[in-house]
């Protein structure tokens, strides 16, 4: 993992990222990657001197399986609580589906690299299914959460119904998939939206980036792609263009 700020660590899995907020002995994770990457997440925690039992909660930006597969594994093994925005709860619990099927990705974005991506993600759980009936809603009140690192939820729906970014210590923003800086299926790097087929509502995704643009922050840590340093408002302008 790389340290983005004091106690804020950024790790990469199979084309998907994880953040760890370390506060004393305790940890909050923001997203936990694919189910098949859970041991990689645990190894990354070990590298910063923490155990999976130290994780007080996994906050998920949204319930797509590249973000919650590892969370479900941590819950199964260690009882780790999993939190989503209330508007994401039905998706997280498996009561509704908002995920593009791999066959549809292949049909609409046919290129050799699409197949490579599908091959990579199939190995870590892309053909599986994750339901988390135990997922809990974040508190309805605004403001910092009573969890290690005191992350602040930033509601930005569109990619999914309850997609939520998190403002972290040191002005780092976990943007999830509302704004990314790269993806195996994208031609470019830098602030951008994911290919439209991945999002439930592309227009809403672009519109609700206002919430990220307004943050007083200096680093964006996306669900896919590298961390980006700069003013969130500039990143949002780039992503929309
Ligand atoms: Zn994703």
């Amino acid at each position: 993992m790389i340290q983005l700020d004091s106690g804020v660590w950024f790790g990469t899995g199979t084309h998907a990222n994880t953040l760890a907020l370390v506060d004393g002995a305790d940890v909050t994770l923001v997203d936990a990657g694919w189910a098949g990457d859970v041991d990689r997440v645990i190894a990354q925690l070990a590298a910063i001197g923490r155990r999976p039992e130290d994780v007080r909660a996994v906050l998920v930006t949204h319930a797509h399986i590249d973000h919650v597969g590892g969370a479900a594994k941590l819950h199964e093994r260690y009882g780790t609580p999993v939190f989503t925005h209330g508007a994401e709860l039905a998706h997280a619990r498996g009561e509704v589906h908002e995920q593009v099927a791999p066959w549809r990705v292949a049909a609409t974005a046919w290129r050799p690299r699409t197949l490579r991506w599908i091959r990579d993600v199939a190995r870590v759980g892309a053909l599986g299914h994750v339901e988390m009936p135990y997922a809990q809603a974040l508190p309805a009140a605004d403001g910092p959460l009573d969890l290690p690192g005191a992350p602040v939820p930033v509601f930005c729906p569109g990619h999914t119904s309850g997609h939520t970014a998190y403002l972290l210590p040191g002005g780092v923003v976990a943007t999830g998939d509302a704004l990314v800086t790269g993806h195996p299926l994208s031609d470019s790097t830098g602030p951008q939206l994911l290919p439209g087929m991945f999002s439930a509502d592309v227009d809403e995704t672009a519109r609700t980036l206002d919430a990220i643009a307004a943050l007083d922050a200096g680093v964006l840590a996306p669900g896919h792609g590298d961390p980006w340093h700069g003013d969130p408002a500039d990143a949002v302008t780039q992503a929309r263009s």
Side-chain angles (χ1 to χ4, degrees):
M1 292 187 132
I2 60 166
Q3 189 165 213
L4 298 178
D5 201 89
S6 178
V8 182
W9 295 86
F10 178 85
T12 55
T14 304
H15 310 303
N17 303 328
T18 297
L19 283 142
L21 312 184
V22 176
D23 191 349
D26 297 329
V27 179
T28 302
L29 292 179
V30 179
D31 290 341
W34 298 95
D37 276 341
V38 68
D39 289 326
R40 189 164 165 173
V41 171
I42 291 170
Q44 290 171 338
L45 286 172
I48 58 170
R50 297 298 181 282
R51 305 164 306 151
E53 294 89 341
D54 300 329
V55 178
R56 296 291 150 251
V58 182
L59 300 177
V60 299
T61 57
H62 66 295
H64 284 159
I65 55 176
D66 49 331
H67 301 256
V68 298
K73 289 287 175 198
L74 289 170
H75 180 85
E76 282 170 24
R77 294 186 193 176
Y78 306 102
T80 315
V82 178
F83 290 93
T84 76
H85 192 280
E88 190 72 5
L89 209 52
H91 186 198
R93 289 177 172 170
E95 295 156 9
V96 300
H97 297 283
E98 299 189 22
Q99 181 117 30
V100 65
W103 62 264
R104 189 168 161 243
V105 177
T108 54
W110 165 251
R111 294 180 207 179
R113 68 181 178 194
T114 307
L115 267 203
R116 282 197 294 274
W117 175 75
I118 290 175
R119 180 201 61 198
D120 289 350
V121 299
R123 286 179 180 149
V124 288
L127 305 179
H129 184 65
V130 175
E131 288 185 2
M132 303 184 297
Y134 44 80
Q136 303 175 60
L138 294 168
D142 287 340
L145 300 173
D146 185 17
L147 286 173
V152 180
V154 180
F155 189 48
C156 48
H159 181 67
T160 60
S161 300
H163 188 286
T164 299
Y166 296 91
L167 179 61
L168 311 180
V172 179
V173 187
T175 60
D177 285 3
L179 184 155
V180 302
T181 60
H183 191 276
L185 303 189
S186 166
D187 292 319
S188 62
T189 57
Q192 59 191 278
L193 302 179
L194 279 172
M197 64 188 153
F198 289 113
S199 289
D201 186 331
V202 177
D203 293 340
E204 189 183 27
T205 302
R207 191 170 60 244
T208 62
L209 286 178
D210 280 348
I212 290 174
L215 295 173
D216 182 11
V219 185
L220 302 187
H224 306 278
D226 295 330
W228 185 88
H229 296 259
D231 185 339
D234 293 338
V236 168
T237 302
Q238 277 189 51
R240 283 172 173 159
S241 67

